[in-house]
Amino acid sequence: MNELLLGMRLRGMQYRRIHASDSFGFAFKAKPGCAYFHFLAAGTAHLLSEDGAIQTLSAGNAVFLPHGSGHKIFSDPKAVVLDIDHCDVMPLSETVSAVKTGLNNTSHTIFFSGCMEFDLGGLQGLVPLMPELMMIDATSQRYVELMPILTAMEKEACAGRVGDAGILARLADVVMAVIVRGWVECGCGNSSAFVTALREPRLSRAILALHRQPGHDWTVAELAAESGLSRSVFAKRFQETIGVAPLRYAGELRMRIARTWLAYDRMSIERVAERLGYASQAAFSRAYKRITGTSPGHSRREQTT
């Protein structure tokens, strides 16, 4: 798990520190490919999900929406709801802004809000399994380490000091890693074959080997040796647990990593092919299109259009 969480990346982060009066409402539109995060520092609020469910939030609560689902946060159902993207803001830095409602200086509710591209790297296969909304009580024993980090984020966001964007990004990485770890430890709702495999000591050795060396030309025999199982037993157990054959999983993993390097890290196709162990750029391109359905060049252009 430690090896895989190291591949998690948050990009394009934008933060808001919101001071709300006694009556307020904000709408956050759906942003596929991104994730929303809210931390209530003071006061109370309600969150309305796309499916109509309402969650009540109090100080110390955090909410994580890994799919970037649309939602609303408000003081009460009768409150006027404003599109958060159209609210007047006061820039505090390049990535942090302040939002304030009401005509007086009294803030009944204060919350810290973030929106970012959410990439779990080697764990990206977990994202579709995540619920639309994850509630976290930062005051609970399960997340005892979160409160000081969230408090530090909140202070950093309103201080406007040099380098705050970089510090916030690193703190956010830690917060997301803690949340993902807590979800995995809870069994991911017992719905994840991937997590089942990670919990199986012998299979997990092979999976970690694949993630550590995605460019190695793995054979089933080598992966079986990593697991300490015979080739036939390993292949059968891997297929039954993960739902795909070992080498297919290895190929799909390479392409998830390749897409990240192409689209976000702006690596050249030639460099990606080399790092992932392909004999030529053409061989890599053929494998990429076969598995992803698109060309490497198209993925490189995704983040520039």
Side-chain angles (χ1 to χ4, degrees):
M1 188 65 186
N2 291 335
E3 303 261 0
L4 299 178
L5 283 177
L6 287 174
M8 188 184 73
R9 302 182 187 185
L10 305 177
R11 300 183 178 85
M13 289 172 284
Q14 292 296 321
Y15 300 97
R16 296 183 179 95
R17 189 174 192 269
I18 301 172
H19 285 245
S21 59
D22 55 349
S23 180
F24 66 90
F26 300 102
F28 298 81
K29 65 183 179 183
K31 294 188 177 181
C34 294
Y36 280 110
F37 176 76
H38 307 291
F39 168 59
L40 202 65
T44 59
H46 304 282
L47 187 148
L48 174 65
S49 306
E50 284 184 327
D51 61 5
I54 296 179
Q55 306 285 341
T56 299
L57 312 177
S58 57
N61 287 163
V63 184
F64 180 48
L65 296 96
H67 305 290
S69 306
H71 57 286
K72 298 176 182 178
I73 297 179
F74 49 78
S75 57
D76 62 88
K78 296 181 179 179
V80 176
V81 177
L82 307 173
D83 184 334
I84 190 68
D85 291 330
H86 295 157
C87 289
D88 292 334
V89 300
M90 180 178 72
L92 300 178
S93 71
E94 183 181 347
T95 59
V96 183
S97 58
V99 178
K100 190 170 185 179
T101 66
L103 299 176
N104 55 44
N105 292 321
T106 302
S107 296
H108 294 267
T109 301
I110 301 173
F111 64 99
F112 176 68
S113 177
C115 183
M116 68 287 289
E117 294 175 14
F118 180 49
D119 181 3
L120 276 181
L123 277 174
Q124 196 65 20
L126 286 180
V127 176
L129 302 173
M130 290 182 170
E132 292 296 315
L133 183 148
M134 299 164 69
M135 282 279 293
I136 298 101
D137 182 1
T139 64
S140 70
Q141 287 301 306
R142 173 170 289 279
Y143 295 103
V144 66
E145 64 271 68
L146 272 188
M147 185 56 82
I149 303 172
L150 291 168
T151 301
M153 287 181 75
E154 199 273 338
K155 289 181 178 178
E156 193 67 35
C158 66
R161 299 175 65 184
V162 173
D164 60 356
I167 292 172
L168 280 168
R170 285 160 179 76
L171 290 173
D173 281 344
V174 176
V175 169
M176 294 302 107
V178 170
I179 291 173
V180 171
R181 181 183 65 182
W183 180 68
V184 169
E185 287 176 341
C186 288
C188 307
N190 296 318
S191 63
S192 172
F194 186 85
V195 173
T196 300
L198 287 180
R199 290 171 176 270
E200 215 279 9
R202 292 195 172 187
L203 284 185
S204 68
R205 293 174 203 157
I207 291 172
L208 291 175
L210 283 168
H211 285 262
R212 277 195 297 262
Q213 295 179 275
H216 180 71
D217 187 15
W218 290 99
T219 66
V220 176
E222 288 175 325
L223 292 171
E226 290 282 341
S227 296
L229 297 168
S230 71
R231 186 184 185 284
S232 59
V233 171
F234 168 75
K236 183 173 184 290
R237 190 175 296 181
F238 195 101
Q239 175 79 45
E240 290 175 346
T241 305
I242 300 293
V244 297
L247 297 188
R248 178 178 171 184
Y249 178 88
E252 291 176 350
L253 170 65
R254 287 191 196 99
M255 296 311 127
R256 288 198 300 270
I257 294 171
R259 183 181 180 279
T260 296
W261 288 348
L262 291 166
Y264 298 106
D265 295 337
R266 312 304 301 153
M267 276 191 202
S268 68
I269 297 173
E270 181 180 11
R271 177 62 175 149
V272 172
E274 178 186 344
R275 288 190 63 178
L276 289 178
Y278 286 88
S280 67
Q281 182 176 322
F284 164 71
S285 296
R286 287 194 298 271
Y288 191 91
K289 187 163 187 177
R290 184 181 71 252
I291 292 173
T292 68
T294 189
S295 68
H298 182 270
S299 291
R300 271 183 61 83
R301 293 189 294 271
E302 279 183 333
Q303 298 305 309
T304 61
T305 56

